[in-house]
Amino acid sequence: MQITITKAETLKPKPDETQLGFGTIFTDHMFNMDYSNEKGWHNPRIEPHHPFQMDPATMMLHYGQGVFEGLKAYRTESGAIQLFRPKDNFERLNRSSSMLCIPAVDETFALTALKQLLTIEKEWVPHAQETSLYIRPTIIATDPFLGVRASFTYRFFIILSPVGAYYPEGFNPVKILVSKDHVRAVRGGVGEAKTPGNYAASLLAGNKAHDEGYTQVLWLDGVNQEYIEEVGSMNIFFVINDEIITPELNGSILPGITRDSVIRLARTWGMKVIERKISIKEVLKAHTSGTLKEIFGSGTAAVISPVGELKYGDTVISIGGGSVGPISNRLFNAIQDIQYGKAEDVLGWIEPVC
Ligand SMILES: Cc1ncc(COP(=O)(O)O)c(C=O)c1O
């Protein structure tokens, strides 16, 4: 398929790179493509970033049939633009789509379209240390129809947003609250899909955690409320004795690309990484016995987010005495160095763009 390109007549001024937050500024152009049963995916186009006009009955707005992804483009010291494991994001997008009855996109074509968009928007990839261009591929159901069924039409779009360093004040541990009242996802549901409803479902618990002075929610499983699943919108790891343990993928956990990168990198370093069920009780016991060394979250936004305090009911435990553990630190630096082209891409994760 040929991608039609319509350039913006005027370009926006680039933002001050020292003031970049997250997700508020958008670039000049976006990618769009439509789906209908008759034509399949068609009319791929790069055009100025613009608001959508849609019927108030548009199905996505009512029934939440949509999926999205999140990845970043990085600028290397030599000025080249590169992506980190983008094929895995498009593969996950299609896996999410299959759970939401959304037609698959051609992953190779989607990556080609993204690279073409990034080449046009190259100047929007910020230069400052630890900044990047966040990429949000999304698919929404577009039939104007009130009634619960899968839509017959869809829009696939990609928008871009320059983002600042996740840790502008330094790489510091966060406080997390174990949610006893709420669960994020359940077995047989859509927890392993990146779909809007999962994030809407996480808001109330997140607000309650903030009200108590905690940054993130630690989610327990939806069946027994005993086994640990994720932290905020990140995957989670525990270093107990000399083992790195992470909850096994069970259908209600999002299979994070950073999670997979942590597992594979740590294994190449000769560390023992185990994917298995891990209960909150086991973590508290390990803390009591002095074998719990580190807890950290993993995700595209933060890469690694060390946990310094955990609260479960009336029990509050402190991990690492307020400083970042050596494994969290090593993983954070190693993954970032690969993403920014400062370290050799030994595992073949980098996709050059331009
Ligand atoms: C619920 C949830 N878990 C985990 C992750 C981490 O996934 P990744 O490492 O691919 O960013 C994300 C972010 O995408 C997420 O939204």
Side-chain angles (χ1 to χ4, degrees):
M1 267 190 297
Q2 186 71 25
I3 300 172
T4 311
I5 297 174
T6 309
K7 291 268 185 82
E9 279 174 16
T10 52
L11 300 182
K12 302 173 197 168
K14 302 287 182 298
D16 174 356
E17 291 192 1
T18 61
Q19 301 297 316
L20 293 171
F22 189 93
T24 54
I25 300 162
F26 300 98
T27 70
D28 294 304
H29 298 89
M30 67 186 297
F31 174 78
N32 281 301
M33 176 164 75
D34 296 305
Y35 179 90
S36 67
N37 281 344
E38 304 74 42
K39 294 186 182 170
W41 286 109
H42 64 279
N43 193 15
R45 57 206 186 270
I46 291 170
E47 51 195 345
H49 181 104
H50 64 282
F52 292 151
Q53 209 175 30
M54 52 175 107
D55 194 287
T58 298
M59 290 185 79
M60 169 66 200
L61 301 177
H62 299 269
Y63 309 112
Q65 194 196 7
V67 292
F68 64 98
E69 267 305 322
L71 68 160
K72 288 173 171 176
Y74 307 86
R75 183 181 290 277
T76 69
E77 271 164 9
S78 66
I81 308 301
Q82 57 186 35
L83 294 160
F84 182 71
R85 306 187 65 175
K87 290 178 185 139
D88 296 86
N89 287 92
F90 287 119
E91 200 184 303
R92 187 171 65 187
L93 183 74
N94 273 341
R95 264 188 280 128
S96 296
S97 287
S98 70
M99 276 175 259
L100 274 292
C101 300
I102 293 172
V105 294
D106 181 320
E107 291 165 25
T108 310
F109 178 74
L111 180 56
T112 305
L114 171 60
K115 284 180 163 184
Q116 220 166 315
L117 177 64
L118 287 170
T119 304
I120 292 171
E121 301 292 63
K122 180 174 180 180
E123 286 314 311
W124 279 96
V125 184
H127 303 70
Q129 189 104 349
E130 291 181 23
T131 59
S132 56
L133 186 66
Y134 186 76
I135 301 161
R136 173 52 60 84
T138 306
I139 305 177
I140 57 169
T142 51
D143 279 10
F145 177 70
L146 296 184
V148 179
R149 61 154 171 80
S151 181
F152 301 133
T153 61
Y154 298 88
R155 165 72 55 88
F156 172 45
F157 62 87
I158 305 176
I159 53 175
L160 307 174
S161 174
V163 297
Y166 193 85
Y167 296 106
E169 281 107 39
F171 185 45
N172 290 317
V174 297
K175 291 164 68 176
I176 63 173
L177 177 71
V178 184
S179 183
K180 284 190 150 188
D181 300 336
H182 305 279
V183 296
R184 179 189 161 271
V186 291
R187 197 187 303 151
V190 291
E192 68 179 349
K194 213 162 159 60
T195 186
N198 287 334
Y199 299 83
S202 74
L203 298 177
L204 183 57
N207 283 352
K208 287 184 180 176
H210 287 148
D211 290 346
E212 280 202 50
Y214 287 82
T215 319
Q216 303 276 356
V217 176
L218 182 73
W219 300 104
L220 299 181
D221 74 278
V223 180
N224 305 303
Q225 283 188 258
E226 190 181 338
Y227 296 100
I228 293 164
E229 300 226 314
E230 302 202 44
V231 58
S233 50
M234 286 183 286
N235 297 109
I236 189 157
F237 289 83
F238 300 87
V239 182
I240 298 178
N241 289 315
D242 292 321
E243 290 177 351
I244 304 176
I245 302 162
T246 191
E248 66 192 3
L249 299 177
N250 60 359
S252 50
I253 294 174
L254 190 90
I257 290 156
T258 321
R259 174 188 181 276
D260 185 69
S261 308
V262 164
I263 294 171
R264 288 170 59 183
L265 254 187
R267 284 184 181 149
T268 65
W269 295 339
M271 291 176 183
K272 191 166 175 193
V273 188
I274 305 164
E275 296 174 75
R276 66 162 168 85
K277 281 182 169 182
I278 177 162
S279 69
I280 184 67
K281 289 195 181 114
E282 179 182 344
V283 171
L284 297 179
K285 231 166 108 181
H287 178 262
T288 307
S289 66
T291 54
L292 175 65
K293 296 183 179 159
E294 292 181 45
I295 304 180
F296 59 88
S298 72
T300 295
V303 184
I304 298 293
S305 180
V307 174
E309 184 180 312
L310 180 154
K311 182 172 189 226
Y312 178 63
D314 295 329
T315 310
V316 179
I317 64 168
S318 160
I319 306 109
S323 52
V324 177
I327 296 178
S328 305
N329 225 340
R330 185 173 178 195
L331 284 162
F332 180 69
N333 290 325
I335 295 174
Q336 272 214 333
D337 285 352
I338 295 172
Q339 289 170 334
Y340 286 91
K342 291 182 189 162
E344 199 191 336
D345 176 26
V346 280
L347 291 155
W349 287 337
I350 292 301
E351 183 78 37
V353 178
C354 57

